[in-house]
Amino acid sequence: MSVLTLAALLSSTTLAAPAGSKHNVYLVHCDPQDCPIGLCDPGDFTIAAAAYFANGPVTEGTTRVSTPTSLGRLSDGILKWEGTSRSVRLGTAGTLKSNIPTSARTAAKGDLAGDATLGTEEFVCFKDGSTKFAISNDGDRYTCTTDYWCGSVDAGSTTTPAGPRKR
């Protein structure tokens, strides 16, 4: 299914309830809230990850730790989602494959930016760049900034896809 078809499907499912899935994936970069070795240069311990939330969108904010259903990190040293297809394992949910073109870097927030699949479930991805939330990973607390938000276009659930919730 093409990205345009996915976008049209998402638009039609958000207008009519009930439709869509509550599955959300956030393609993020995360910085540690405390330097694990004392004094760090900015970006020394930044990770890029896919945060999968099976039960609805994340609640935006950094004061409370969000717990994704699964978190998959990109390989060390890879900190961007754009320009090539990326794959990351999201535990028992499967492997997420994202397709975010280089041109998405300059898109405005909310613009269509690409697509992704998690197993057979299809997602459409939108530029974000500002939604922040906190996670705990390997015992360290991180603040994550959403580069792209991907909403499922699976019509098998009774919840309409939605972006992050404000607290």
Side-chain angles (χ1 to χ4, degrees), residues 27-30 43-50 71-81 84-90 95-96 98 137-138:
L27 306 179
V28 298
H29 66 275
C30 306
D44 275 352
F45 293 91
T46 298
I47 61 171
L71 182 74
R73 289 176 60 174
L74 287 178
S75 301
D76 287 341
I78 298 175
L79 297 176
K80 63 182 181 176
W81 291 98
T84 187
S85 180
R86 301 266 186 231
S87 294
V88 63
R89 184 79 181 155
L90 291 173
T95 299
L96 177 80
S98 69
N137 183 57
D138 292 335

Side-chain angles (χ1 to χ4, degrees), residues 105-124:
R105 279 188 202 131
T106 58
K109 183 173 180 168
D111 283 354
L112 181 64
D115 60 81
T117 58
L118 180 56
T120 59
E121 188 170 8
E122 296 179 350
F123 291 76
V124 64

Side-chain angles (χ1 to χ4, degrees), residues 1-16 19-20 122 124 152-155 161:
M1 186 178 295
S2 75
V3 172
L4 292 177
T5 304
L6 289 173
L9 179 59
L10 182 63
S11 294
S12 67
T13 60
T14 57
L15 297 175
E122 296 179 350
V124 64
S152 174
V153 295
D154 181 14

